[in-house]
Amino acid sequence: MPLIDLRSDTVTKPTPAMRRAMAEAEVGDDVYGEDPTVNRLQERAAEIFEKEAALFVPTGSMGNQTAVKVHTKPGQEVIIEERGHIYNFEMATMSAFSGCIARPVKSPDGSGILTWDEIKGAIHHVTSYYVTPTGLIALENSHNLAGGSVLTRERTEDICARAHEMKLPVHLDGARIFNAAVALNDSVANLARPVDSVMFCLSKGLGAPVGSMLLGTKAFIDEARVIRKMLGGGMRQAGVLAAAGLVALEESPKGLPEDHANAKLLAEGLAGLPGVKIDPEKVVTNIVIFDVAETRLPVDAICAQLRERGVLMSGFGSSIRAVTHYDVTRADIETALREVRSVLAN
Ligand code: TLP
């Protein structure tokens, strides 16, 4: 029985076009800056995002943590929404590597999307030498653990303009910024224009097997390249990976509306099930998070039973996450819904 794997959009297998590009990739030693395919990917990403420069990194986590390191000094705080990936899923690297702590901030409406007022309330002005100074503001678009919610260009512009007045840099974790751009009918360049640095993943909704990009000014990327090497991310003939990334960058964004439609279909179906809490109106990208506390069934037990029926989803607290991607079809979503309904009925 083929599995319907909705645990994450990281599980996609490379397309035939990606595999061909990988097999035929022209390569060189990227630590010497001599891999033509990596260079082409970096130039193309910078062009699409309208940023001065880009750096190919093995993972989104390395891209984010490299940015934190470049923007901050040890002893500073990073303001972040309390469910942000950089804070919750990156192994406290900001403390271990950059010597910073997180200042988590709650988004009062639960959307995961902060306003300037909430951020402002968390900033420590350097009014005296003994307060922990704010070093960075980290945003996330789309917001993974808040169910793929999106940050508009206007909100990003507002936050960045005010942060910059206070001389604070802003980093955007845009692991799924292409999904956000589709949902907002805007461009990734517009969504990322006001931020000082942005990371996006080739290996999530875009479906490449490996890789993320970090973008910013040329001076920022020159520093980031040194930090990437420090972290062991200086890859050699990385063009074999960048080649798949280039295909992902050019070909995959056009498939995202279908992933979003599939997520909406799943959310609408789930909303009708007894004990399931989800507002399908709020599902605007490819992430569906539904609360099952009222079913009185343990999340792990639900996920285990779904697995036996060939459907994989991930448990997070009292919620379950399902993420759509190009390896799942509308028919797969209908099957998954049938299986959830039947597990909850038992
Ligand atoms: N997210 C993964 C897990 O770590 C939760 C997933 O399955 O969604 N930023 C965001 C917003 C992410 O969702 C992720 C990965 C990353 C950064 C890190 O990317 P990688 O896994 O490439 O280090």
Side-chain angles (χ1 to χ4, degrees):
M1 179 176 55
L3 289 173
I4 300 170
D5 195 344
L6 296 164
R7 285 171 302 168
S8 184
D9 48 8
T10 58
V11 301
T12 53
K13 301 289 189 325
T15 61
M18 287 178 197
R19 287 192 189 270
R20 260 196 316 275
M22 293 172 83
E24 291 163 9
E26 229 190 307
V27 296
D29 190 330
D30 183 49
V31 173
Y32 299 141
E34 289 173 2
D35 188 302
T37 311
V38 170
N39 291 341
R40 209 143 41 86
L41 173 62
Q42 291 175 166
E43 281 155 25
R44 186 68 187 118
E47 188 176 69
I48 291 171
F49 277 75
E50 299 174 22
K51 292 282 186 201
E52 281 178 25
L55 185 70
F56 184 50
V57 287
T59 64
S61 302
M62 191 187 289
N64 281 335
Q65 296 302 330
T66 297
V68 171
K69 179 74 177 170
V70 174
H71 287 305
T72 60
K73 293 199 194 92
Q76 292 184 326
E77 283 186 349
V78 176
I79 295 179
I80 184 162
E81 199 279 329
E82 67 173 3
R83 284 166 293 169
H85 194 279
I86 291 176
Y87 173 42
N88 291 279
F89 283 93
E90 297 185 13
M91 326 290 295
T93 306
M94 74 164 81
S95 71
F97 186 58
S98 297
C100 290
I101 54 170
R103 167 73 54 176
V105 178
K106 211 179 179 65
S107 70
D109 62 358
S111 67
I113 303 300
L114 296 175
T115 63
W116 175 252
D117 280 348
E118 289 128 29
I119 292 171
K120 189 175 71 183
I123 292 174
H124 279 169
H125 297 275
V126 187
T127 46
S128 52
Y129 73 90
Y130 48 81
V131 294
T132 313
T134 305
L136 175 68
I137 297 167
L139 304 174
E140 188 170 317
N141 200 12
S142 65
H143 192 309
N144 183 351
L145 285 200
S149 55
V150 292
L151 184 56
T152 60
R153 160 191 182 174
E154 292 77 12
R155 182 73 67 91
T156 314
E157 282 169 355
D158 183 50
I159 291 170
C160 291
R162 290 151 183 270
H164 291 156
E165 276 168 22
M166 300 175 84
K167 306 225 175 316
L168 287 173
V170 181
H171 170 70
L172 174 60
D173 176 348
R176 297 182 179 83
I177 195 169
F178 282 88
N179 296 86
V182 165
L184 292 163
N185 197 20
D186 208 334
S187 67
V188 291
N190 282 341
L191 296 181
R193 194 175 322 283
V195 300
D196 299 276
S197 56
V198 55
M199 182 284 292
F200 78 92
C201 294
L202 296 159
S203 60
K204 305 224 159 38
L206 302 188
V210 176
S212 293
M213 306 299 299
L214 182 60
L215 299 104
T217 61
K218 184 169 175 316
F220 170 85
I221 292 298
D222 284 346
E223 280 188 64
R225 190 175 298 107
V226 176
I227 304 300
R228 180 188 69 175
K229 188 73 176 76
M230 226 174 176
L231 289 168
M235 298 182 287
R236 301 293 176 172
Q237 285 71 39
V240 289
L241 302 175
L246 268 165
V247 175
L249 195 54
E250 302 296 353
E251 300 299 323
S252 302
K254 59 177 179 279
L256 299 180
E258 196 179 326
D259 296 346
H260 295 186
N262 284 337
K264 188 69 114 182
L265 180 72
L266 180 61
E268 284 164 354
L270 289 167
L273 301 182
V276 171
K277 271 211 315 227
I278 181 166
D279 180 354
E281 283 288 305
K282 294 197 173 139
V283 175
V284 294
T285 59
N286 66 330
I287 300 181
V288 180
I289 298 183
F290 55 105
D291 186 281
V292 291
E294 282 177 18
T295 64
R296 297 184 181 280
L297 297 168
V299 165
D300 289 352
I302 297 174
C303 290
Q305 284 188 49
L306 283 172
R307 181 179 273 273
E308 277 171 27
R309 294 156 183 262
V311 177
L312 306 188
M313 294 186 183
S314 319
F316 286 90
S318 68
S319 298
I320 295 177
R321 186 185 75 158
V323 187
T324 58
H325 50 76
Y326 68 55
D327 280 339
V328 291
T329 61
R330 187 182 167 92
D332 291 333
I333 296 298
E334 283 159 358
T335 307
L337 264 175
R338 236 184 357 260
E339 297 302 347
V340 177
R341 189 176 299 119
S342 137
V343 165
L344 296 184
N346 277 336

